[in-house]
Amino acid sequence: MTSEDLAKEVMAAVVAVQSRILGVGKEQYDQGSEQKFERMSFRELIQYAREEVEDGIAYNVMLRYKLGLMEKALNAAFTGYEQDAGRHSKPEQVLVDPPVANAPADYFAPTDWTSIRDAARGLR
């Protein structure tokens, strides 16, 4: 990945944030000419920020768990292949895919990510 590629990925993330601000964020926080946070006291803002940090920790733990499952599946899938080789050799035996539990329906990505991705591609 080049620096330019990384910069494009950062821009794609910014576009995704803008989409959330103008979508669900607008529904929740827009109060006409002001945003909800502008009327909050520092105490309210600190409490709200703490709750968001706690939510972020929970989401990171969920992501960590799913990455662990993915890592196990990838390790099992590539057992027997040479590492860091231009061509991979075939394993001596074919391994059966490990069982993987499906994520609950509410963990799936929102359907509007396609539009975010398409908007980000226009920036490249």
Side-chain angles (χ1 to χ4, degrees), residues 26-83:
K26 186 171 186 171
E27 294 169 15
Q28 294 177 351
Y29 304 108
D30 191 312
Q31 297 182 339
S33 63
E34 294 179 319
Q35 294 293 308
K36 185 176 181 178
F37 78 87
E38 292 179 280
R39 292 188 168 255
M40 289 181 177
S41 68
F42 281 115
R43 178 175 281 169
E44 290 172 315
L45 192 55
I46 288 169
Q47 180 60 36
Y48 186 81
R50 275 192 178 151
E51 291 170 2
E52 292 297 319
V53 167
E54 291 161 357
D55 287 346
I57 291 169
Y59 282 114
N60 279 311
V61 170
M62 290 177 215
L63 180 59
R64 184 180 190 279
Y65 172 77
K66 295 298 277 187
L67 287 170
L69 293 177
M70 187 185 311
E71 180 181 33
K72 286 178 187 175
L74 287 171
N75 286 340
F78 289 100
T79 297
Y81 285 85
E82 295 176 8
Q83 293 183 353

Side-chain angles (χ1 to χ4, degrees), residues 66-108:
K66 295 298 277 187
L67 287 170
L69 293 177
M70 187 185 311
E71 180 181 33
K72 286 178 187 175
L74 287 171
N75 286 340
F78 289 100
T79 297
Y81 285 85
E82 295 176 8
Q83 293 183 353
D84 298 325
R87 296 181 188 164
H88 294 289
S89 63
K90 229 178 185 180
E92 293 180 17
Q93 63 179 359
V94 176
L95 300 173
V96 178
D97 289 337
V100 177
N102 290 332
D106 58 338
Y107 284 111
F108 292 158

